[in-house]
């Protein structure tokens, strides 16, 4: 029986979510502030954490950051804010998904099911298979078995999860890394925003597709602008591509 931690300071909302989850057959724990939530998340092994962002004590983003230093428990952020940047910050900090308040309980339950399913798939060798299939489907020959992808002086080492330019490390978030890897693996193939979104955020992701543009901006700021190149090309109305030299 999956065990879910609810970290939410609006006690009525926390209780309401708890009752619904128990009704669905989940086991639950609650915390009404960030510090307690973090302690529970550290001490026990939850299958999923529902984490409010605006919390007394430690806010949700801080809880998530600290938790990620120790554990990879999937997290769905509950946010009252509705700006894309906040969501990107949350996803970059290691959240799996987010839901904006107020939400319909059915929507939350659907996202919980997706997150738990994804976790189960990941527990196997899902990750490797998925990326191999992704590269295979797009018909690329650019993905060597060693997992090192190159473009000019750029080197992306998949096994070490490291990107460098001329040996100098470029620090990327998980999703920036995945985005770059997908584009490098599919060199010369224009990938649509939807395709990139699916590869980077997972196919069940239900947020906005303009998150792809935000990641591309981040990558350009960290690579193109720093090294004076035009690696990430926009194909207007279609998507993005990295071209061979
Ligand atoms: Ca709150």
């Amino acid at each position: 029986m999956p065990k879910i931690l609810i970290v939410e300071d609006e006690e009525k909302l926390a209780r309401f979510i708890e009752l619904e989850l128990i009704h669905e057959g989940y086991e639950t724990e609650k915390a009404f502030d960030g510090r307690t939530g973090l302690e529970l998340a550290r001490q026990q092994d939850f299958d999923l954490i529902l984490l409010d962002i605006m919390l007394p004590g430690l806010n949700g983003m801080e809880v998530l950051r600290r938790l990620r230093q120790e554990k990879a428990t999937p997290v769905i952020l509950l946010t009252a804010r509705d700006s894309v940047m906040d969501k990107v910050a949350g996803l970059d900090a290691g959240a799996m998904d987010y839901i904006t308040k107020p939400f319909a309980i059915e929507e939350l339950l659907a996202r919980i099911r997706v997150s738990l399913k994804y976790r189960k798939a990941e527990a196997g060798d899902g990750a490797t298979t998925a990326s191999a299939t992704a590269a295979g489907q797009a018909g690329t020959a650019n993905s060597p078995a060693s997992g090192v992808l190159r473009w000019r002086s750029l080197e992306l080492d998949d096994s070490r999860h490291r990107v460098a330019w001329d040996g100098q490390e470029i620090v990327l978030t998980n999703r920036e890394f995945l985005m770059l890897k997908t584009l490098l693996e599919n060199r010369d193939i224009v990938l649509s925003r939807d395709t990139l979104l699916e590869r980077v955020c997972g196919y069940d992701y239900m947020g906005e597709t303009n998150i792809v543009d935000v990641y591309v901006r981040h990558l350009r700021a960290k690579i193109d602008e720093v090294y004076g190149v035009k690696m990430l090309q926009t194909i207007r109305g279609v998507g993005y591509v990295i071209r061979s030299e």
Side-chain angles (χ1 to χ4, degrees):
M1 185 177 303
K3 203 166 149 192
I4 300 176
L5 172 64
I6 305 159
V7 189
E8 166 62 74
D9 62 317
E10 289 165 57
E11 299 192 11
K12 268 171 78 176
L13 178 60
R15 292 212 168 86
F16 170 67
I17 294 172
E18 180 178 48
L19 283 176
E20 292 289 335
L21 293 185
I22 290 169
H23 183 72
E24 293 293 312
Y26 298 113
E27 256 181 64
T28 61
E29 285 274 353
K30 289 193 300 297
F32 300 133
D33 66 84
R35 234 167 259 284
T36 313
L38 181 60
E39 274 319 297
L40 284 170
R42 276 176 170 154
Q43 287 160 5
Q44 302 180 34
D45 284 323
F46 292 96
D47 295 289
L48 180 70
I49 300 173
L50 303 178
L51 180 61
D52 186 27
I53 289 186
M54 304 287 275
L55 287 169
L58 282 181
N59 71 45
M61 294 297 291
E62 194 50 37
V63 171
L64 181 57
R65 266 186 215 107
R66 294 192 191 185
L67 180 68
R68 279 294 169 267
Q69 291 169 4
E70 298 168 35
K71 280 183 162 181
T73 316
V75 167
I76 296 179
L77 290 171
L78 311 179
T79 170
R81 305 177 191 179
D82 199 18
S83 88
V84 170
M85 286 316 292
D86 269 333
K87 290 166 186 170
V88 170
L91 295 171
D92 279 348
M96 172 164 256
D97 199 358
Y98 59 84
I99 187 163
T100 307
K101 290 194 254 181
F103 48 79
I105 193 71
E106 290 75 19
E107 191 189 354
L108 178 64
L109 293 172
R111 292 190 185 207
I112 288 172
R113 283 193 294 272
V114 167
S115 291
L116 291 173
K117 197 173 75 187
Y118 188 80
R119 178 174 162 82
K120 236 163 97 187
E122 247 191 352
D125 63 346
T128 334
T129 316
S131 81
T133 316
Q137 278 169 353
T140 177
N142 276 333
S143 177
S146 70
V148 177
L149 299 161
R150 292 187 177 83
W151 187 88
R152 289 204 197 175
S153 302
L154 183 101
E155 224 178 71
L156 181 148
D157 186 337
D158 197 18
S159 59
R160 292 164 65 210
H161 213 272
R162 189 173 182 273
V163 177
W165 185 279
D166 242 347
Q168 194 185 353
E169 186 167 5
I170 302 168
V171 179
L172 300 181
T173 64
N174 275 338
R175 283 171 193 240
E176 289 164 2
F177 183 90
L178 256 180
M179 173 89 83
L180 180 61
K181 183 180 153 212
T182 305
L183 284 162
L184 283 171
E185 280 174 343
N186 296 289
R187 210 165 308 181
D188 297 315
I189 298 168
V190 180
L191 299 178
S192 70
R193 284 179 179 76
D194 285 342
T195 302
L196 284 166
L197 191 72
E198 195 177 305
R199 301 278 165 83
V200 174
C201 299
Y203 114 98
D204 286 315
Y205 177 81
M206 286 175 260
E208 297 90 341
T209 55
N210 61 356
I211 278 192
V212 167
D213 304 302
V214 176
Y215 287 124
V216 168
R217 277 209 300 280
H218 288 180
L219 283 172
R220 280 185 176 141
K222 288 180 180 182
I223 302 170
D224 294 37
E225 288 163 26
V226 176
Y227 301 102
V229 292
K230 284 199 150 190
M231 180 180 67
L232 289 143
Q233 299 184 18
T234 306
I235 307 300
R236 194 168 291 202
V238 187
Y240 296 99
V241 65
I242 292 178
R243 301 238 185 248
S244 302
E245 287 304 287

